[in-house]
Amino acid sequence: MNPPDLSSLVFTLRPLQAATDVPHLGRAAHAVLLDAVRWADPALAEAIHAGSDVRPFTASDLIGYSHRKGLTPEHACTLRLTTLTQPVTQALLKATSSEAEDHAAGRPPLSVGAQVQLGAIVFRVEAVVGDAGLHPWAGATTYEELSAPWLLGRENPDAHVTLQFASPTTFKSGGRHVPVPLPAWVFGGLLERWNAFAPVAFPPELRRYAEECLALSKYQLKSRMVTLMVGATMQDGGMRIGAVGRARYVATNRDRYWLSLINLLAEYAFFAGVGAGTGMGLGQCRRLRDEG
């Protein structure tokens, strides 16, 4: 099997101290991921830092705790990091490996037993899961494996696609952030990320197909506000309002080629995220197959 281009790692983290009024930690998770890549491959980290705004990774906020009750050492939480290119995937896997103890830079920073700081809070890594069979938000694949069923006609493309927006999802439009997952914004953004990192680019007309031939047919969404953090402080004006929940899209034009690409991008959303701010906790997304 070829080394994965795409990965989704789920970390079990245990806080080493109690904390209340825990802020949104997506930016802190972004910093943790970049530090891990820098540990494994300093040149790659520098290239990412100097590269385009389309980042080859996503980072979640801290998952599985009560904002009202805060954090306690008795209750572990999770964190999810995804990667969109083989070099970044390999660097992150190296930073989590217990077999890399002899690295010149010391112990892998995200391996089991390591301590990780998110904002002002220190956690211990208790588990790292990258196998889809062990966690529904974990997994790894290549662009070829992900695209082959759709591009080679092995799968019949579904005219209905349902996405779950698991963290606040918002889109930039006209200088504003809009918390509405319209088809053109959802699949247009996924197309941009695919063409930035995949070995085979898709035609830009796919965005037009999403805008003109996909409709938002059913949804269960609510808005959620987050305040982004810079360093250990809250950023003034850093409010984001995003949509969480489910949205179902239906194709009014069922051309097999375009619909196959839409289905493929829906699968890609699991790794790439959707909307703005996916590198700092926003836009965590996956396709739902059992729609009922």
Side-chain angles (χ1 to χ4, degrees), residues 39-249:
W39 176 90
D41 189 338
L44 176 60
E46 182 59 31
I48 293 173
H49 181 73
S52 70
D53 291 336
V54 183
R55 299 296 188 184
F57 58 82
T58 78
S60 77
D61 188 12
L62 199 62
I63 303 165
Y65 74 99
S66 167
H67 284 275
R68 181 175 59 85
K69 296 180 179 179
L71 293 168
T72 65
E74 290 75 30
H75 296 92
C77 305
T78 57
L79 181 74
R80 180 174 182 253
L81 304 176
T82 77
T83 54
L84 306 181
T85 68
Q86 189 177 103
V88 181
T89 297
Q90 295 302 100
L92 189 60
L93 290 175
K94 187 174 184 178
T96 65
S97 174
S98 59
E99 299 175 359
E101 298 287 351
D102 59 347
H103 191 280
R107 180 178 189 166
L110 293 179
S111 60
V112 173
Q115 292 188 6
V116 174
Q117 184 164 347
L118 295 172
I121 307 165
V122 179
F123 299 82
R124 182 176 64 249
V125 179
E126 295 202 333
V128 183
V129 177
D131 186 338
L134 299 177
H135 196 287
W137 285 93
T141 189
T142 65
Y143 280 100
E144 180 181 4
E145 291 168 341
L146 187 67
S147 60
W150 307 106
L151 300 186
L152 299 180
R154 297 173 187 166
E155 289 270 4
N156 290 319
D158 199 329
H160 298 86
V161 173
T162 299
L163 297 178
Q164 177 190 7
F165 304 103
S167 68
T169 303
T170 185
F171 303 86
K172 289 182 180 179
S173 177
R176 298 181 180 180
H177 288 271
V178 185
V180 183
L182 296 177
W185 292 346
V186 170
F187 292 97
L190 286 168
L191 173 65
E192 180 182 11
R193 286 180 193 137
W194 179 277
N195 285 350
F197 304 119
V200 176
F202 295 152
E205 290 80 11
L206 182 56
R207 182 187 294 268
R208 182 178 175 185
Y209 175 85
E211 182 174 10
E212 297 181 357
C213 302
L214 290 183
L216 182 59
S217 64
K218 186 185 298 185
Y219 57 87
Q220 294 177 320
L221 298 168
K222 58 183 179 180
S223 60
R224 182 177 298 170
M225 184 180 70
V226 297
T227 305
L228 304 181
M229 188 180 74
V230 175
T233 63
M234 307 308 289
Q235 178 188 22
D236 291 337
M239 300 288 186
R240 295 286 186 273
I241 298 177
V244 294
R246 302 180 181 189
R248 192 182 198 209
Y249 304 90

Side-chain angles (χ1 to χ4, degrees), residues 3-26:
D5 303 310
L6 305 160
S7 75
S8 173
L9 298 177
V10 178
F11 298 80
T12 300
L13 304 179
R14 186 171 298 278
L16 299 186
Q17 74 265 24
T20 56
D21 298 322
V22 180
H24 181 82
L25 293 173

